[in-house]
């Protein structure tokens, strides 16, 4: 079981390494940039929605301010009229209520518009930072893609050079063949020389025959049976005989 687990781990590592080698990092980077562009476009749409909502509030505020101005003018007219105080209060009561309501609505609208403005400032800041970062990444991608391509070219050249060097080393088979042929030629020449030297009638064969053990034994047997040839006199005796003869 331990062996099988270890084998499974190794197979998974090999699959992972193969997938890593097949991965195209440049394509992944381009895809990531395109995805970021889509996010920025979508985010810009959200910012535009906030701005649109603020514009609606500003238009409502304009209408409310106009209504408020109308009620204020009406109250001024009632105040300037010839009516007595009680009549003015009675006549101005509903107008004052409408004026106060418009003033409250205007104040609420101003707070909402201010909040929208603050939100827009933050959202636009994020949008500008994202766009700047995207532009930097796009420029970096151009440079990195070029460098990546150059590395692939260099790697291809290195692989080709290694294969070229390997191809050169395989030519050693020619050198080996040369050594083999020379060895066979030397062996054939040596064998021919031995045949020539040892064939019947050759000088070498004659010399070898003189020292043939069988022949030498036969000669010894003949000498013992019939008597050997007279021995050669020793050197000193031979010299004495020569002097006497003189």
């Amino acid at each position: 079981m331990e062996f099988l687990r270890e084998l499974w781990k190794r197979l998974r590592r090999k699959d992972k390494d193969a997938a890593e080698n097949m991965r195209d990092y440049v394509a992944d980077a381009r895809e990531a940039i395109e995805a970021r562009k889509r996010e920025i476009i979508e985010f810009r749409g959200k910012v535009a929605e906030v701005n649109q909502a603020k514009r609606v509030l500003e238009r409502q505020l304009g209408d409310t301010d106009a209504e408020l101005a109308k009620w204020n003018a009406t109250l001024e007219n009632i105040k300037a009229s010839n009516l007595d105080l009680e009549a003015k209060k009675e006549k101005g009561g509903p107008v004052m209520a409408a004026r106060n309501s418009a003033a409250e609505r205007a104040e609420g609208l101003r707070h909402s518009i201010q909040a929208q403005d603050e939100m827009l400032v933050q959202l636009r800041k994020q949008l500008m930072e994202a766009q700047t970062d995207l532009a930097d990444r796009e420029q970096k991608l151009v440079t990195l893609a070029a460098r990546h391509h150059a590395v692939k070219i260099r790697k291809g050249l290195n692989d080709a050079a290694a294969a070229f060097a390997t191809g050169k080393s395989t030519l050693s088979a020619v050198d080996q063949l040369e050594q083999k042929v020379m060895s066979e030629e030397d062996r054939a020449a040596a064998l021919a020389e031995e045949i020539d030297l040892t064939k019947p009638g050759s000088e070498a064969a004659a010399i070898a025959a003189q020292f043939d053990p069988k022949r030498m034994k036969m000669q010894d047997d003949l000498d013992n049976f019939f008597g050997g040839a007279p021995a050669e006199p020793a050197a000193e005796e031979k010299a004495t005989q020569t002097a006497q003869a003189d």
Side-chain angles (χ1 to χ4, degrees), residues 118-136:
E118 293 174 355
M119 183 183 299
L120 281 172
V121 168
Q122 294 298 322
L123 293 176
R124 285 168 179 164
K125 180 181 179 182
Q126 293 179 22
L127 181 60
M128 291 175 64
E129 289 176 350
Q131 292 179 145
T132 300
D133 180 66
L134 177 63
D136 292 341

Side-chain angles (χ1 to χ4, degrees), residues 7 9 11 21 26 33 46 60 77 108-109 113 117 123 152 176 199 204 232 243:
L7 179 61
K9 290 180 181 178
L11 291 175
N21 292 332
V26 174
I33 285 178
K46 298 296 182 182
Q60 291 176 354
N77 290 334
L109 288 170
I113 292 171
D117 279 333
L123 293 176
K152 289 177 66 176
Q176 294 174 1
K199 69 183 179 180
E232 288 290 330

Side-chain angles (χ1 to χ4, degrees), residues 37-128:
K37 285 181 178 179
R38 292 191 293 269
E39 292 176 354
I40 288 176
I41 291 173
E42 183 178 355
F43 188 77
R44 187 183 293 115
K46 298 296 182 182
V47 176
E49 290 178 4
V50 175
N51 190 21
Q52 179 184 3
K54 190 195 80 164
R55 289 174 178 271
V56 172
L57 293 175
E58 288 175 341
R59 187 169 56 254
Q60 291 176 354
L61 178 60
D63 294 340
T64 303
D65 284 339
E67 182 182 354
L68 182 60
K70 182 186 70 172
W71 297 133
N72 284 330
T74 301
L75 288 174
E76 290 296 333
N77 290 334
I78 293 173
K79 183 178 180 180
S81 68
N82 294 326
L83 297 174
D84 58 23
L85 181 59
E86 289 300 323
K88 290 180 180 180
K89 288 182 180 181
E90 182 180 356
K91 199 171 184 63
V95 177
M96 180 64 72
R99 180 257 183 195
N100 291 341
S101 177
E104 290 177 0
R105 281 189 282 113
E107 185 66 19
L109 288 170
R110 286 188 179 88
H111 284 299
S112 296
I113 292 171
Q114 182 179 358
Q116 295 291 83
D117 279 333
E118 293 174 355
M119 183 183 299
L120 281 172
V121 168
Q122 294 298 322
L123 293 176
R124 285 168 179 164
K125 180 181 179 182
Q126 293 179 22
L127 181 60
M128 291 175 64

Side-chain angles (χ1 to χ4, degrees), residues 213-230:
K214 290 183 179 180
R215 184 179 179 282
M216 294 176 68
K217 185 176 186 305
M218 177 64 74
Q219 187 63 44
D220 290 341
D221 291 342
L222 290 172
D223 290 341
N224 291 332
F225 185 80
F226 293 105

